[in-house]
Amino acid sequence: MNRQRSFISFIVAGAIALLVIAIASFYWFFAKSPANLIASTRQPSAAIFVSKLSPAMVSLLVNPDRLQALEGEGELSKLKTSLFAKSGIDYKQDVQPWLGNEITLAITTLDIDRDRENGQQPGYLLALATKQPQKSREFVELLFSKRALAGANLAVEQYKGVKLISDNSQPEQDLLAGAVVGEGFVLFANDPKVLRDAINNVQAPDLNLTSSPEYQKATKQLPKGGLAVAFLNLPIVAKWQGLELPEQTYHSEIISLALNPKGLLAETSFLTSSEIVSPSSPLSKPVGALQYVPASAGLAISGSNLSNLANSDLAKLWRQATATIYGSEEDVVSRLAKPLADVQKSWGINLAEDIFSWVQGEYAIALLPEKEQTIPHWIFAVEKSESVDKGIARLDAIASSNGLSINPLTLSKQKISAWTELTTATKKSDVKEGTSFSIETKVRGLHTTLGNYEIFTSDLETMDKILTTKDNSLIDNRNFKDSIAAIPLPNQGYIYLDWTKSQNLLERQVPVLKLVEVLGKPFFNNLRSLTVSSYGTDTRSLKGGVFFKLNNS
């Protein structure tokens, strides 16, 4: 366990932070001089060192110094300085001259010694492309000589023609192994065995990641112009976390990050051996229900046909992903969709059975955060049909069984149907020792018909906003238009998150998000919104993208 911890402290944490801040620096670079950055058109070359049983590999396919050229606050320079400070290495003098156009970090194995008695000790491999092999060899010698002067005991061995250097440190000290392989890469690992395995993977091609059929299929999904790429072996990732998934529809995932005229586009493909079942027919334009979502919405989800969602491969992906990350689907729903979870609880309904089952046309769901309130208002707009009328009748019956009344009212000359609850309130009377009572009406939900859509809201204020601000809808919002323009058509609809409006809400629901924001501060400081969509026609993969729109873009 000491080996794992020490290597993370010296290399892994720094490499991850380097990737995060490098990606964050895309904002500065693109905003001022996009022509200076040429996107990569290749796959990670370091994949030949990585086992095809590796859980995860992430690669930056451009020299980080090119991202720093027009950096705003010097975050990348500060990180590189602090990363090598403890080792006595000067980045500009000792690393910059030889560092090439690829940095790859991989988890090579779940347990280096495969001994369950001492717990899991994952193997980590960092591969740095070199453009000057001799200078990179000098760097490796310099690095380990400084570690020897600091008290480490060095060990040198020749393994299949490659010189391996490692420090035989005491348990409380850092352990590191390094080598220059051929003319192309400098390798670092948290154990010499990881380096030996990496060399074996090169000399026995059937062992490395490039020979994996899943990886080969995944790389075919990569778009042109990617600046960073990540590959995940999903069943092994789940095993790494000690999970036995009840459903493993998807066996691998590949993610690519590329620049876009308005921000950053992260495209991902989930691959499966079974036939993909689309939840609905692809949409060639945004759904009309979005015209009833105010531009002030912090979150909007739109698409068509929720009735088949539970049986779709998109739902299977959700179950597999949430089980892998959170351990259960229910936990992530309660965290990220608390307002909807509250509706289920207060009404005593099941959203999938009592609402989604009768939504066969277009729909839009939106949350409107308010600074004064911890729970945002909500909107649900659905295209009218016979099934919708039956669904409303079902909701009326559920409301009645829960003691709610169905009352008609007029708001802004529009006829509204409201589900209300009568409650009593008491206060001390002016009469000595007397108490007065009042009856209050609480609105639990409303709905009305507008055009060809039935509109449901959480409260009167939200319904009034829809009725009186028709010309200020989300579908006419410039930021929303720019965001969906980056998503290919046709697609399955959009999940749109306005970061500036929803940040406080999300931080309350997902506390770990604050830590992520600290690591990627330059990026999150300039994040305006993000948009998620599913698209593509491959029947063996589920393809989608996340578009990050940045301020001033």
Side-chain angles (χ1 to χ4, degrees):
M1 295 301 293
N2 288 320
R3 296 180 180 183
Q4 176 185 345
R5 185 194 68 246
S6 61
F7 187 71
I8 291 177
S9 66
F10 182 76
I11 291 293
V12 176
I16 291 175
L18 187 65
L19 293 176
V20 169
I21 293 184
I23 290 171
S25 300
F26 288 175
Y27 162 74
W28 295 103
F29 207 104
F30 180 78
K32 299 180 181 180
S33 184
N36 291 335
L37 186 59
I38 301 174
S40 171
T41 57
R42 62 182 176 83
Q43 301 171 14
S45 299
I48 59 174
F49 300 109
V50 180
S51 167
K52 58 184 173 183
L53 298 179
S54 164
M57 179 184 78
V58 59
S59 302
L60 180 67
L61 301 177
V62 63
N63 190 298
D65 290 320
R66 297 174 66 188
L67 301 176
Q68 185 187 336
L70 295 175
E71 188 184 3
E73 301 294 335
E75 292 88 357
L76 200 57
S77 298
K78 295 174 185 176
L79 175 68
K80 288 184 291 191
T81 299
S82 62
L83 177 61
F84 293 100
K86 292 183 179 180
S87 62
I89 296 295
D90 183 282
Y91 173 82
K92 188 172 183 179
Q93 177 180 325
D94 300 322
V95 180
Q96 189 179 59
W98 58 263
L99 186 60
N101 293 325
E102 180 177 337
I103 300 175
T104 289
L105 176 65
I107 302 164
T108 59
T109 178
L110 298 182
D111 194 3
I112 296 174
D113 60 9
R114 299 177 184 176
D115 184 356
R116 295 182 180 180
E117 301 262 338
N118 58 9
Q120 277 194 341
Q121 299 180 31
Y124 296 93
L125 178 71
L126 179 67
L128 307 172
T130 175
K131 54 188 178 184
Q132 295 189 35
Q134 184 54 41
K135 284 190 174 294
S136 58
R137 289 188 178 89
E138 293 171 0
F139 166 74
V140 174
E141 297 283 349
L142 174 65
L143 174 63
F144 280 96
S145 65
K146 287 182 177 293
R147 292 172 69 82
L149 291 174
N153 299 316
L154 299 187
V156 180
E157 66 173 297
Q158 289 288 331
Y159 185 75
K160 297 186 176 181
V162 178
K163 182 181 179 181
L164 307 184
I165 306 178
S166 60
D167 54 33
N168 187 16
S169 306
Q170 299 300 316
E172 66 274 9
Q173 294 178 315
D174 292 341
L175 188 148
L176 185 68
V180 179
V181 181
E183 300 293 309
F185 280 93
V186 177
L187 303 183
F188 291 106
N190 60 329
D191 193 287
K193 186 178 185 305
V194 174
L195 292 185
R196 290 193 289 270
D197 288 343
I199 295 169
N200 291 338
N201 291 335
V202 176
Q203 298 187 356
D206 60 320
L207 298 178
N208 66 49
L209 192 58
T210 60
S211 68
S212 165
E214 289 78 11
Y215 181 75
Q216 293 172 3
K217 293 175 184 176
T219 53
K220 290 180 181 179
Q221 303 291 328
L222 287 175
K224 294 181 179 180
L227 294 169
V229 62
F231 176 76
L232 302 176
N233 188 323
L234 298 178
I236 299 181
V237 169
K239 183 179 178 182
W240 182 26
Q241 301 205 79
L243 300 173
E244 292 185 8
L245 302 182
E247 191 172 23
Q248 292 190 15
T249 304
Y250 299 91
H251 54 66
S252 56
E253 176 189 7
I254 196 160
I255 307 166
S256 175
L257 186 67
L259 285 173
N260 179 281
K262 296 294 182 180
L264 304 174
L265 179 62
E267 286 198 308
T268 184
S269 292
F270 294 87
L271 287 87
T272 178
S273 301
S274 58
E275 197 81 10
I276 291 291
V277 178
S278 176
S280 62
S281 300
L283 301 169
S284 57
K285 61 180 181 179
V287 301
L290 285 169
Q291 65 185 296
Y292 300 108
V293 175
S296 59
L299 171 68
I301 304 172
S302 61
S304 67
N305 191 12
L306 286 171
S307 64
N308 190 45
L309 184 61
N311 298 319
S312 69
D313 283 276
L314 192 62
K316 293 177 181 178
L317 171 61
W318 172 262
R319 290 191 289 269
Q320 182 174 336
T322 53
T324 300
I325 297 172
Y326 287 91
S328 72
E329 180 182 2
E330 290 74 15
D331 187 47
V332 71
V333 170
S334 64
R335 287 174 180 268
L336 299 180
K338 191 175 186 300
L340 299 181
D342 290 342
V343 170
Q344 288 192 114
K345 184 178 180 180
S346 62
W347 276 61
I349 63 174
N350 181 290
L351 287 176
E353 296 178 4
D354 298 322
I355 296 181
F356 294 169
S357 62
W358 46 263
V359 179
Q360 298 176 355
E362 296 180 355
Y363 69 88
I365 303 171
L367 299 181
L368 283 70
E370 297 286 345
K371 292 183 179 179
E372 303 81 16
Q373 297 182 334
T374 57
I375 299 177
H377 304 308
W378 55 262
I379 296 169
F380 179 41
V382 57
E383 190 175 13
K384 289 282 289 182
S385 67
E386 183 179 346
S387 63
V388 171
D389 293 335
K390 292 180 179 179
I392 295 173
R394 178 178 175 84
L395 290 178
D396 285 343
I398 293 174
S400 295
S401 67
N402 288 331
L404 301 181
S405 301
I406 297 92
N407 297 309
L409 55 91
T410 300
L411 181 65
S412 299
K413 299 181 181 181
Q414 176 72 23
K415 292 183 178 180
I416 308 290
S417 182
W419 294 293
T420 62
E421 179 183 15
L422 294 179
T423 61
T424 58
T426 61
K427 63 178 180 179
K428 289 185 178 180
S429 174
D430 293 335
V431 181
K432 187 177 181 179
E433 297 183 358
T435 302
S436 62
F437 296 87
S438 63
I439 297 177
E440 297 180 352
T441 302
K442 290 186 177 181
V443 175
R444 297 302 186 185
L446 311 95
H447 67 95
T448 189
T449 301
L450 292 174
N452 193 37
Y453 294 88
E454 192 71 18
I455 314 298
F456 301 81
T457 67
S458 57
D459 53 88
L460 283 167
E461 292 82 2
T462 303
M463 182 65 79
D464 184 62
K465 185 177 292 187
I466 295 172
L467 297 175
T468 58
T469 58
K470 293 181 180 178
D471 296 331
N472 191 26
S473 66
L474 184 65
I475 202 168
D476 296 319
N477 179 267
R478 179 183 175 184
N479 184 63
F480 179 74
K481 285 183 174 181
D482 288 344
S483 297
I484 64 174
I487 303 294
L489 288 170
N491 57 51
Q492 297 293 332
Y494 307 102
I495 299 176
Y496 171 79
L497 176 69
D498 189 311
W499 176 250
T500 58
K501 295 186 177 78
S502 302
Q503 181 178 2
N504 292 336
L505 172 66
L506 291 174
E507 287 174 346
R508 287 195 299 267
Q509 305 298 341
V510 190
V512 73
L513 187 58
K514 291 184 179 181
L515 175 61
V516 177
E517 290 177 50
V518 171
L519 291 175
K521 184 177 179 181
F523 177 76
F524 283 97
N525 283 349
N526 293 289
L527 179 61
R528 179 69 180 82
S529 64
L530 62 89
T531 307
V532 184
S533 185
S534 173
Y535 48 84
T537 58
D538 193 327
T539 59
R540 298 291 178 178
S541 67
L542 183 63
K543 188 173 185 177
V546 182
F547 177 69
F548 301 90
K549 190 176 189 303
L550 305 171
N551 289 321
N552 302 324
S553 62

